[in-house]
Amino acid sequence: MKTTLLVVFALAANAALWGNAVASGPNSSGAFDFGALELKVLSPDGKQTIGYTRFMVLHDSSTEEVKGETRYLDGEHDNESELLYVGNPDSIPRLDSYEHSFFNADGTPHMVDTLNAKSGVASCASYTAGKLRVRTSQLEVPADSFAGASELMMVVASLRHGIREVKFHAFACVPGPAIFSVETSLPDRPEHWPLYPGDLVRLDMRPDLGVLNLLVAPFMPTMDAWFNPNDNWSYVGGEFDRYFRGPHVLTLRVPPAD
């Protein structure tokens, strides 16, 4: 299945750039310190803060582990974890595993999405009225497949490297496990976003599923992501569905403390 996006949602050109892009910690000199990223989660109209998201990146000589936590003021929370294999300086990073768990306000599980890129085994689990339903698939996982926060990290790395036309693959539960082919291109003019000042670039994700557009596209997860080209393409926020047919929320970057 092929998804065409109207703006860049891309992967890094080389591992040297990636190594800088995801470096983390107080002594990091990386170009994109994902560990320093904190986001406010806003209501769909952007008027109320309903939660916060924080990321941490753990690095060693051959892997990057991305951990994200989102906590909502009503007690709900999400946990996300991705392991990526970095390899040698001439190789493109590869997704090793992905897991995203969603919890109700009382702490009980609501959904769990998983992908083992090595084995190709993927699952999408949901809990309704205490009953578990699991959709499992054996997928063919291309080397350029990513999921969750790693997709956002690759976008920033790509923008900073000047990439304008890129192809990659993305994993999602829609509601069963699926991997989509993505083609992207960069718009030629910036836009304004009421929630953040300046001339920004917007990633408007609208799937093109060919003959299935009328039936499937309205139910596909969507995401608009905003980047500041005048601040080294930093991610400043966006809006998206928390999960397939889930609530629509906005995020807004929290400026780092002085």
Side-chain angles (χ1 to χ4, degrees):
M1 190 173 294
K2 178 178 178 181
T3 304
T4 301
L5 307 186
L6 301 182
V7 292
V8 166
F9 191 66
L11 56 94
N14 54 58
L17 174 62
W18 169 264
N20 288 332
V22 298
S24 64
N27 299 320
S28 169
S29 59
F32 181 35
D33 186 358
F34 209 67
L37 182 61
E38 180 180 351
L39 304 168
K40 283 196 282 188
V41 184
L42 308 178
S43 57
D45 60 9
K47 295 181 178 180
Q48 292 182 318
T49 298
I50 61 174
Y52 290 89
T53 296
R54 293 177 177 85
F55 289 97
M56 176 176 63
V57 180
L58 305 176
H59 170 77
D60 66 23
S61 59
S62 61
T63 62
E64 301 283 353
E65 185 177 8
V66 183
K67 290 187 173 292
E69 181 183 47
T70 301
R71 292 199 169 270
Y72 294 88
L73 300 185
D74 65 0
E76 294 184 4
H77 67 280
D78 305 346
N79 292 330
E80 178 181 340
S81 177
E82 292 129 81
L83 184 66
L84 295 108
Y85 177 69
V86 178
N88 63 66
D90 296 324
S91 65
I92 295 175
R94 295 187 63 165
L95 181 67
D96 183 275
S97 61
Y98 167 76
E99 181 172 322
H100 197 157
S101 302
F102 304 83
F103 298 89
N104 299 311
D106 62 1
T108 57
H110 176 56
M111 295 174 57
V112 182
D113 303 342
T114 68
L115 171 65
N116 184 314
K118 289 183 178 179
S119 66
V121 175
S123 65
C124 301
S126 61
Y127 298 81
T128 304
K131 296 183 178 180
L132 172 64
R133 179 181 182 182
V134 182
R135 297 177 173 89
T136 303
S137 297
Q138 179 78 45
L139 302 176
E140 181 178 346
V141 184
D144 62 347
S145 298
F146 298 94
S150 63
E151 298 174 15
L152 177 59
M153 297 170 74
M154 298 304 259
V155 171
V156 173
S158 298
L159 292 173
R160 290 178 175 174
H161 198 68
I163 296 177
R164 296 298 180 264
E165 301 270 349
V166 187
K167 299 178 181 180
F168 74 108
H169 292 82
F171 169 77
C173 289
V174 288
I179 290 180
F180 302 94
S181 176
V182 177
E183 297 181 8
T184 67
S185 59
L186 186 69
D188 56 8
R189 63 179 61 187
E191 297 183 46
H192 291 279
W193 190 31
L195 297 178
Y196 200 92
D199 293 330
L200 306 176
V201 170
R202 178 169 63 102
L203 281 72
D204 182 7
M205 298 178 59
R206 294 293 181 268
D208 180 3
L209 306 177
V211 296
L212 297 178
N213 265 337
L214 293 178
L215 295 176
V216 180
F219 305 105
M220 293 289 291
T222 61
M223 174 181 173
D224 288 347
W226 294 84
F227 299 87
N228 187 352
N230 297 313
D231 185 27
N232 201 19
W233 293 101
S234 61
Y235 173 72
V236 301
E239 55 181 295
F240 56 92
D241 298 337
R242 283 181 63 193
Y243 45 81
F244 182 71
R245 294 184 179 176
H248 198 73
V249 298
L250 278 73
T251 59
L252 185 65
R253 187 184 187 100
V254 176
D258 295 331

